[in-house]
Amino acid sequence: MPLIAITRAVSPSLAECELTHLARERIDVERASRQHLGYEAALRDLGVVVIRAEPAPDSPDAVFVEDTAIVLPELAVLTRPGAASRRSEVAAIGDVLAPYRNIVEMQAPATLDGGDVVRLGRTLYVGSSSRTNEAGIDALASFVEPHGYSVVAVSFSGCLHLKSAATAIGDSAVLINPSWVSVHAFGDAEVIEVDRSEPFAANALRIGQRLIHGAEYVATRERLEEWGADIVPVDCSELAKAEGAVTCCCLLVT
């Protein structure tokens, strides 16, 4: 089966998005939509099959589909997002995933956003955040541990989701902002630090042996290329005003 990316169109109500760590700025929804189309085009250029979930015009954050599910080879876990305004987004994503995975679903009092989950091999590192609570971490563990995964809670600060502070860029390598999460949080994984001038540059989307990365993070891109990464720069700067980034805008199904 080819690699599939589930996406969702930018909502016309994006400017009403949930914000936790950023001050609200004017968001140009048309520009954000153009950037999202460019992001989908980059995925297709990498051989990924892009499947769009049905639009959700009344859900400002719906473009950030990553938060609605954790997709593993063995199953898909539908989350219960920490922001109540986002819980209506989940069902449609479950409908798209159903042909490809057995589905399980979190229930109250659990809350968990997919943006808080970093996978390295058979370990899921889960950020304890304003969106992901202890019950959510425990619920995820109950679903995935029978399939041979371990779940490790990670403390971080300064950003909305763990994947704003660190993302997997290899089988055992992470791109990390050490000001927001400890460089020791991911066990023995190799660590590449972002440039200090680019605190939001730790979010990268791994597609095979290549990385989709924010086009504006030039200094960190140079570090990644020195490390040996093959970078596909994509402009998501308008979506970043809504606390979004490149991993947020798709769910990968292998």
Side-chain angles (χ1 to χ4, degrees):
M1 186 179 80
L3 181 61
I4 292 170
I6 298 170
T7 66
R8 205 168 199 174
V10 172
S11 168
S13 59
L14 177 65
E16 301 166 27
C17 62
E18 296 278 350
L19 288 175
T20 302
H21 287 272
L22 294 182
R24 194 169 296 277
E25 299 182 62
R26 179 185 174 275
I27 296 176
D28 184 333
V29 176
E30 289 187 4
R31 182 167 183 256
S33 295
R34 290 195 300 271
Q35 289 179 351
H36 188 252
L37 288 172
Y39 171 85
E40 291 177 320
L43 288 167
R44 292 189 183 98
D45 287 345
L46 292 173
V48 180
V49 176
V50 175
I51 298 176
R52 274 198 173 189
E54 64 181 32
D58 296 325
S59 297
D61 293 281
V63 66
F64 304 127
V65 294
E66 177 185 49
D67 292 321
T68 61
I70 310 300
V71 183
L72 300 171
E74 299 84 359
L75 78 165
V77 180
L78 297 184
T79 69
R80 185 169 179 267
S85 64
R86 301 200 59 192
R87 292 173 192 159
S88 62
E89 301 171 24
V90 175
I93 301 302
D95 291 342
V96 179
L97 282 169
Y100 304 102
R101 290 293 186 275
N102 292 325
I103 303 288
V104 294
E105 188 169 359
M106 289 189 177
Q107 304 295 330
T111 63
L112 186 141
D113 279 11
D116 277 324
V117 180
V118 174
R119 179 186 172 196
L120 286 174
R122 308 295 289 187
T123 302
L124 304 182
Y125 294 91
V126 186
S128 178
S129 72
S130 61
R131 303 289 179 88
T132 296
N133 63 18
E134 185 176 355
I137 297 172
D138 290 344
L140 181 62
S142 73
F143 291 135
V144 305
E145 286 177 350
H147 297 280
Y149 293 89
S150 59
V151 171
V152 177
V154 175
S155 297
F156 69 100
S157 62
C159 56
L160 175 58
H161 289 131
L162 180 59
K163 278 186 176 172
S164 297
T167 47
I169 56 173
D171 293 338
S172 184
V174 291
L175 177 63
I176 196 167
N177 178 345
S179 296
W180 290 347
V181 66
S182 170
V183 296
H184 305 295
F186 299 93
D188 295 329
E190 183 180 3
V191 169
I192 306 299
E193 296 186 11
V194 301
D195 190 271
R196 289 192 177 201
S197 67
E198 299 172 343
F200 287 95
N203 189 271
L205 178 64
R206 186 184 180 201
I207 305 292
Q209 300 304 310
R210 305 187 74 181
L211 295 176
I212 293 179
H213 192 241
E216 62 268 41
Y217 303 126
V218 176
T220 299
R221 181 161 73 248
E222 291 177 354
R223 291 190 178 195
L224 286 166
E225 289 173 341
E226 289 175 4
W227 175 70
D230 187 356
I231 305 297
V232 179
V234 173
D235 185 5
C236 290
S237 56
E238 205 66 25
L239 293 166
K241 296 177 183 178
E243 294 186 311
V246 294
T247 66
C248 306
C249 295
C250 75
L251 279 167
L252 295 177
V253 183
T254 56

